[in-house]
């Protein structure tokens, strides 16, 4: 398969050539229109059991910067909300822009944010492996958190301070003991809808849980994201990793539900 990316030739508009599901009926991200979201009183709160959560490493895959977790048991799970089972945390990663306040994947009535954090969980109660879950209709649950430009976020410092170790595509570094609980906003009020991975292979396997309340990130911290490269250390070019976001996709009749305020 041709390598995909976010450039003019290999970007989101070209992905359908290698991944026809890109034009499917439950693609992500989407533009969320709060007034059109169905308020569903039966939606219970999201419950995150992140207390024994421990990160393993941080790596640069040329598309994003990813922090991976040990998902060999149910120590770090989310449950409740739209989910029927507990879903295990596997990794989190970010999408961001070049400058200004664009860079998020989901938008809210057209409003974009500087970045978006995705916490990826998989349904280990129903699927034997992550790969199988990633291809199943109820295999993944991703919590999306908007990062709005503003004051610096103290919890983000540990992550942005580690970026120098994973500047190049393919680099990985130890990153133990980080608990993403500190990246959560005060409120866990959310929107939820059935969608897909926002990067190839674009599997339609994700229950999206988008938190309404953003966290803040400073311009200086965003600058750290933009020092990451999509190029490998051995390559001549030094292309910055930025604007690694897919634009909103057609809703195709899907209902977005809102949890209680
Ligand atoms: C097979 C398969 C698969 C998907 N892997 S992922 O869920 O970690 C993931 C999820 C997403 S997102 N943006 O849909 O949460 C992006 C990138 C990745 C990734 O491969 O690193
Ligand atoms: Zn993502």
């Amino acid at each position: 398969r041709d390598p995909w990316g976010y450039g003019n030739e290999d970007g989101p508009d070209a992905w359908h050539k290698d991944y026809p599901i890109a034009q499917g009926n439950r693609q992500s991200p989407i533009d969320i229109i709060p007034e059109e979201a169905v308020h569903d009183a039966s939606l219970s709160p999201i419950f995150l059991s992140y207390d024994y959560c421990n990160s393993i490493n941080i790596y640069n895959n040329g598309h994003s910067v990813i922090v991976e977790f040990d998902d060999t048991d149910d120590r770090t799970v989310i449950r409740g909300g739209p989910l029927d089972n507990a879903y295990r945390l596997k990794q989190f990663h970010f999408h961001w822009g070049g400058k200004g306040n664009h860079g998020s994947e989901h938008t809210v009535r057209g409003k974009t944010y500087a970045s978006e954090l995705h916490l990826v969980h998989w349904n280990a109660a129903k699927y034997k492996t992550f790969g199988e879950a990633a291809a199943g209709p109820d295999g993944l649950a991703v919590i999306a958190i908007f990062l709005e430009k503003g004051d610096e976020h103290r919890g983000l410092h540990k992550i942005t301070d580690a970026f120098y170790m994973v500047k190049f595509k393919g680099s990985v570094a130890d990153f133990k003991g980080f608990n993403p609980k500190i990246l959560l906003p005060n409120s866990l009020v959310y929107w939820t809808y059935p969608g897909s991975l926002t990067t190839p292979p674009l599997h339609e396997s994700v229950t999206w849980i988008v938190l309404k309340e953003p966290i803040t990130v400073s311009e200086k911290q965003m600058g750290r994201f933009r020092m990451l490269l999509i190029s490998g250390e051995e390559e001549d070019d030094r292309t910055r990793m930025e604007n690694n976001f897919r634009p909103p996709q057609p809703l195709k009749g899907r209902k977005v539900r809102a949890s209680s305020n």
Side-chain angles (χ1 to χ4, degrees):
R1 286 195 181 286
D2 294 344
W4 59 271
Y6 292 93
N8 293 333
E9 307 300 313
D10 62 3
D13 291 345
W15 292 351
H16 69 94
K17 287 180 274 183
D18 278 328
Y19 304 92
I21 195 73
Q23 296 170 337
N25 295 325
R26 57 173 281 194
Q27 288 291 296
S28 293
I30 59 168
D31 179 46
I32 295 169
I33 302 172
E35 299 74 33
E36 293 176 7
V38 176
H39 183 268
D40 184 339
S42 76
L43 268 180
S44 60
I46 284 292
F47 194 76
L48 295 97
S49 307
Y50 278 6
D51 294 340
Y52 302 103
C53 170
N54 258 327
S55 55
I56 297 174
N57 63 31
I58 185 167
Y59 75 99
N60 174 338
N61 70 356
H63 307 298
S64 183
V65 59
I66 299 163
V67 173
E68 270 195 323
F69 292 82
D70 172 3
D71 61 350
T72 53
D73 66 25
D74 270 359
R75 79 180 71 180
T76 307
V77 296
I78 57 169
R79 49 170 67 92
L83 307 174
D84 295 339
N85 306 304
Y87 284 60
R88 278 183 201 168
L89 178 64
K90 169 145 176 69
Q91 57 106 303
F92 70 73
H93 63 272
F94 299 83
H95 304 263
W96 61 91
K99 55 185 179 304
N101 281 312
H102 68 278
S104 64
E105 298 213 295
H106 290 89
T107 56
V108 181
R109 232 187 276 103
K111 175 187 169 64
T112 61
Y113 292 87
S115 174
E116 186 170 325
L117 161 62
H118 289 159
L119 294 143
V120 180
H121 307 76
W122 63 285
N123 187 347
K126 182 170 177 184
Y127 298 92
K128 277 199 297 296
T129 66
F130 171 80
E132 278 173 41
D138 56 354
L140 301 181
V142 182
I143 293 184
I145 301 176
F146 293 119
L147 276 66
E148 182 152 54
K149 195 73 77 54
D151 299 333
E152 74 167 21
H153 191 287
R154 267 188 300 292
L156 271 177
H157 264 306
K158 265 196 75 180
I159 300 173
T160 54
D161 287 351
F163 286 171
Y164 77 95
M165 299 190 288
V166 287
K167 189 178 171 70
F168 296 103
K169 173 181 176 182
S171 47
V172 58
D174 269 353
F175 193 70
K176 293 196 172 23
F178 182 82
N179 187 326
K181 212 175 171 86
I182 56 174
L183 301 179
L184 299 172
N186 298 323
S187 163
L188 291 183
V189 169
Y190 61 89
W191 294 290
T192 183
Y193 76 96
S196 73
L197 297 172
T198 65
T199 68
L202 298 169
H203 291 321
E204 297 187 328
S205 57
V206 181
T207 298
W208 280 94
I209 296 165
V210 182
L211 300 192
K212 281 187 187 175
E213 183 186 334
I215 60 172
T216 61
V217 62
S218 67
E219 180 48 44
K220 187 166 173 290
Q221 288 178 310
M222 282 317 303
R224 291 286 183 90
F225 280 88
R226 296 184 201 115
M227 58 162 271
L228 295 164
L229 302 178
I230 64 171
S231 342
E233 190 159 9
E234 70 294 336
E235 291 171 52
D236 297 340
D237 68 316
R238 291 278 183 272
T239 309
R240 285 173 183 269
M241 186 182 284
E242 55 187 19
N243 298 310
N244 55 351
F245 60 92
R246 188 190 194 189
Q249 300 302 307
L251 197 52
K252 301 243 176 127
R254 284 173 286 176
K255 216 189 291 302
V256 178
R257 291 186 291 164
S259 73
S260 314
N261 283 321

